[in-house]
Amino acid sequence: MLACSQGSAEALTELFRRYQQPIHGFFRRRLNDPARAEELTQETFLALLRSASRYEPRALFRTYLYAIALKILRAYRRKAIFRTAFVGRPETIPDPAQHDATETGLWVRRAVAQLEATDREILLLREFEQLSYAEIAELLNLAVNTVRSRLFRARVALRELLKPSSSRAATDAVTQAASGSGNPQMITTKGQRA
């Protein structure tokens, strides 16, 4: 990045070659629109190019690049919410990959989407972007121990969401049967008798 900040086109080309796929994957995992993910990837590298002269190596370059990508993603989401509020419909195109994905992939994607936003972001940054705890902490302005505990919490929650639970299905069946028959006494809580 230092060579790039001094105007080296070869350095910029090398940075793009190394980081284009990871940054595209970062956006692709967070957006349903592959074309929008590509646009935001390009926008990230344009922002990197614009800020090259001001770059100071205070952190790893990868952390710096993901910070730019995260800011661009947040700005895109704010704009999307604004457009939805005033236009009335989100600006998204259905993702054909979702329709072709396996049942397991959809199951995992839905489970990850149910996690709390910060926990989900920490999990994605750690597991998919392979950032260290320190990099995630710096990127999200959190303490390293907070990142560790939230990652642990996200993994536990994800494990629970992905667990094929026959007891959960049985509980749902009892609840539906009780509500359908009009017999509310069938549903009990812990410590109560039916």
Side-chain angles (χ1 to χ4, degrees), residues 79-92:
K79 289 175 189 173
I81 290 169
F82 181 79
R83 276 193 293 278
T84 301
F86 287 99
V87 176
R89 60 179 173 80
E91 184 186 300
T92 59

PDB file of all heavy atoms in Angstrom, residues 79-92:
ATOM      1  N   LYS A  79     -28.817   4.003   2.572  1.00  0.00           N
ATOM      2  CA  LYS A  79     -29.491   4.506   1.372  1.00  0.00           C
ATOM      3  C   LYS A  79     -30.653   3.594   0.981  1.00  0.00           C
ATOM      4  O   LYS A  79     -31.706   4.069   0.570  1.00  0.00           O
ATOM      5  CB  LYS A  79     -28.505   4.618   0.213  1.00  0.00           C
ATOM      6  CG  LYS A  79     -27.505   5.734   0.371  1.00  0.00           C
ATOM      7  CD  LYS A  79     -26.492   5.715  -0.754  1.00  0.00           C
ATOM      8  CE  LYS A  79     -25.367   6.692  -0.500  1.00  0.00           C
ATOM      9  NZ  LYS A  79     -24.301   6.567  -1.515  1.00  0.00           N
ATOM     10  N   ALA A  80     -30.451   2.289   1.110  1.00  0.00           N
ATOM     11  CA  ALA A  80     -31.517   1.335   0.766  1.00  0.00           C
ATOM     12  C   ALA A  80     -32.717   1.503   1.694  1.00  0.00           C
ATOM     13  O   ALA A  80     -33.863   1.456   1.244  1.00  0.00           O
ATOM     14  CB  ALA A  80     -30.989  -0.096   0.825  1.00  0.00           C
ATOM     15  N   ILE A  81     -32.462   1.715   2.971  1.00  0.00           N
ATOM     16  CA  ILE A  81     -33.556   1.939   3.931  1.00  0.00           C
ATOM     17  C   ILE A  81     -34.279   3.234   3.597  1.00  0.00           C
ATOM     18  O   ILE A  81     -35.511   3.295   3.616  1.00  0.00           O
ATOM     19  CB  ILE A  81     -33.012   1.952   5.372  1.00  0.00           C
ATOM     20  CG1 ILE A  81     -32.571   0.541   5.779  1.00  0.00           C
ATOM     21  CG2 ILE A  81     -34.045   2.492   6.349  1.00  0.00           C
ATOM     22  CD1 ILE A  81     -31.791   0.490   7.071  1.00  0.00           C
ATOM     23  N   PHE A  82     -33.534   4.267   3.253  1.00  0.00           N
ATOM     24  CA  PHE A  82     -34.118   5.544   2.888  1.00  0.00           C
ATOM     25  C   PHE A  82     -34.995   5.389   1.647  1.00  0.00           C
ATOM     26  O   PHE A  82     -36.133   5.860   1.603  1.00  0.00           O
ATOM     27  CB  PHE A  82     -33.005   6.570   2.634  1.00  0.00           C
ATOM     28  CG  PHE A  82     -33.514   7.930   2.264  1.00  0.00           C
ATOM     29  CD1 PHE A  82     -33.991   8.796   3.240  1.00  0.00           C
ATOM     30  CD2 PHE A  82     -33.507   8.357   0.943  1.00  0.00           C
ATOM     31  CE1 PHE A  82     -34.457  10.055   2.900  1.00  0.00           C
ATOM     32  CE2 PHE A  82     -33.963   9.608   0.600  1.00  0.00           C
ATOM     33  CZ  PHE A  82     -34.444  10.462   1.580  1.00  0.00           C
ATOM     34  N   ARG A  83     -34.465   4.691   0.619  1.00  0.00           N
ATOM     35  CA  ARG A  83     -35.239   4.474  -0.604  1.00  0.00           C
ATOM     36  C   ARG A  83     -36.500   3.668  -0.321  1.00  0.00           C
ATOM     37  O   ARG A  83     -37.569   3.970  -0.847  1.00  0.00           O
ATOM     38  CB  ARG A  83     -34.388   3.751  -1.655  1.00  0.00           C
ATOM     39  CG  ARG A  83     -33.508   4.665  -2.459  1.00  0.00           C
ATOM     40  CD  ARG A  83     -32.932   3.949  -3.670  1.00  0.00           C
ATOM     41  NE  ARG A  83     -31.997   2.895  -3.360  1.00  0.00           N
ATOM     42  CZ  ARG A  83     -30.707   3.064  -3.075  1.00  0.00           C
ATOM     43  NH1 ARG A  83     -30.203   4.274  -3.050  1.00  0.00           N
ATOM     44  NH2 ARG A  83     -29.931   2.040  -2.821  1.00  0.00           N
ATOM     45  N   THR A  84     -36.383   2.655   0.518  1.00  0.00           N
ATOM     46  CA  THR A  84     -37.532   1.823   0.847  1.00  0.00           C
ATOM     47  C   THR A  84     -38.603   2.636   1.564  1.00  0.00           C
ATOM     48  O   THR A  84     -39.794   2.481   1.307  1.00  0.00           O
ATOM     49  CB  THR A  84     -37.103   0.630   1.716  1.00  0.00           C
ATOM     50  OG1 THR A  84     -36.137  -0.125   1.002  1.00  0.00           O
ATOM     51  CG2 THR A  84     -38.277  -0.256   2.051  1.00  0.00           C
ATOM     52  N   ALA A  85     -38.169   3.527   2.442  1.00  0.00           N
ATOM     53  CA  ALA A  85     -39.119   4.338   3.202  1.00  0.00           C
ATOM     54  C   ALA A  85     -39.893   5.293   2.287  1.00  0.00           C
ATOM     55  O   ALA A  85     -41.072   5.543   2.512  1.00  0.00           O
ATOM     56  CB  ALA A  85     -38.389   5.128   4.278  1.00  0.00           C
ATOM     57  N   PHE A  86     -39.238   5.817   1.249  1.00  0.00           N
ATOM     58  CA  PHE A  86     -39.897   6.803   0.407  1.00  0.00           C
ATOM     59  C   PHE A  86     -40.459   6.234  -0.880  1.00  0.00           C
ATOM     60  O   PHE A  86     -41.445   6.730  -1.402  1.00  0.00           O
ATOM     61  CB  PHE A  86     -38.947   7.965   0.109  1.00  0.00           C
ATOM     62  CG  PHE A  86     -38.755   8.833   1.309  1.00  0.00           C
ATOM     63  CD1 PHE A  86     -37.639   8.689   2.114  1.00  0.00           C
ATOM     64  CD2 PHE A  86     -39.720   9.763   1.673  1.00  0.00           C
ATOM     65  CE1 PHE A  86     -37.475   9.463   3.243  1.00  0.00           C
ATOM     66  CE2 PHE A  86     -39.565  10.533   2.800  1.00  0.00           C
ATOM     67  CZ  PHE A  86     -38.439  10.384   3.590  1.00  0.00           C
ATOM     68  N   VAL A  87     -39.858   5.187  -1.400  1.00  0.00           N
ATOM     69  CA  VAL A  87     -40.360   4.596  -2.639  1.00  0.00           C
ATOM     70  C   VAL A  87     -41.345   3.477  -2.323  1.00  0.00           C
ATOM     71  O   VAL A  87     -42.272   3.225  -3.060  1.00  0.00           O
ATOM     72  CB  VAL A  87     -39.192   4.076  -3.512  1.00  0.00           C
ATOM     73  CG1 VAL A  87     -39.689   3.369  -4.754  1.00  0.00           C
ATOM     74  CG2 VAL A  87     -38.283   5.225  -3.899  1.00  0.00           C
ATOM     75  N   GLY A  88     -41.107   2.785  -1.210  1.00  0.00           N
ATOM     76  CA  GLY A  88     -42.038   1.764  -0.785  1.00  0.00           C
ATOM     77  C   GLY A  88     -41.648   0.349  -1.123  1.00  0.00           C
ATOM     78  O   GLY A  88     -42.319  -0.590  -0.756  1.00  0.00           O
ATOM     79  N   ARG A  89     -40.557   0.159  -1.822  1.00  0.00           N
ATOM     80  CA  ARG A  89     -40.102  -1.204  -2.116  1.00  0.00           C
ATOM     81  C   ARG A  89     -38.579  -1.222  -2.112  1.00  0.00           C
ATOM     82  O   ARG A  89     -37.935  -0.263  -2.532  1.00  0.00           O
ATOM     83  CB  ARG A  89     -40.626  -1.701  -3.457  1.00  0.00           C
ATOM     84  CG  ARG A  89     -40.196  -0.854  -4.632  1.00  0.00           C
ATOM     85  CD  ARG A  89     -40.731  -1.440  -5.947  1.00  0.00           C
ATOM     86  NE  ARG A  89     -40.444  -0.533  -7.030  1.00  0.00           N
ATOM     87  CZ  ARG A  89     -39.274  -0.422  -7.638  1.00  0.00           C
ATOM     88  NH1 ARG A  89     -38.261  -1.172  -7.274  1.00  0.00           N
ATOM     89  NH2 ARG A  89     -39.099   0.443  -8.612  1.00  0.00           N
ATOM     90  N   PRO A  90     -38.004  -2.306  -1.665  1.00  0.00           N
ATOM     91  CA  PRO A  90     -36.550  -2.383  -1.659  1.00  0.00           C
ATOM     92  C   PRO A  90     -36.006  -2.517  -3.079  1.00  0.00           C
ATOM     93  O   PRO A  90     -36.671  -3.055  -3.957  1.00  0.00           O
ATOM     94  CB  PRO A  90     -36.253  -3.641  -0.848  1.00  0.00           C
ATOM     95  CG  PRO A  90     -37.499  -4.437  -0.892  1.00  0.00           C
ATOM     96  CD  PRO A  90     -38.636  -3.469  -1.081  1.00  0.00           C
ATOM     97  N   GLU A  91     -34.807  -2.001  -3.279  1.00  0.00           N
ATOM     98  CA  GLU A  91     -34.162  -2.057  -4.588  1.00  0.00           C
ATOM     99  C   GLU A  91     -33.277  -3.298  -4.649  1.00  0.00           C
ATOM    100  O   GLU A  91     -32.062  -3.233  -4.559  1.00  0.00           O
ATOM    101  CB  GLU A  91     -33.319  -0.799  -4.804  1.00  0.00           C
ATOM    102  CG  GLU A  91     -32.696  -0.720  -6.171  1.00  0.00           C
ATOM    103  CD  GLU A  91     -31.769   0.466  -6.276  1.00  0.00           C
ATOM    104  OE1 GLU A  91     -32.219   1.600  -6.107  1.00  0.00           O
ATOM    105  OE2 GLU A  91     -30.578   0.248  -6.512  1.00  0.00           O
ATOM    106  N   THR A  92     -33.902  -4.458  -4.775  1.00  0.00           N
ATOM    107  CA  THR A  92     -33.137  -5.692  -4.873  1.00  0.00           C
ATOM    108  C   THR A  92     -33.656  -6.523  -6.035  1.00  0.00           C
ATOM    109  O   THR A  92     -34.826  -6.449  -6.399  1.00  0.00           O
ATOM    110  CB  THR A  92     -33.227  -6.544  -3.594  1.00  0.00           C
ATOM    111  OG1 THR A  92     -34.597  -6.857  -3.348  1.00  0.00           O
ATOM    112  CG2 THR A  92     -32.650  -5.806  -2.404  1.00  0.00           C
TER     113      THR A  92
END
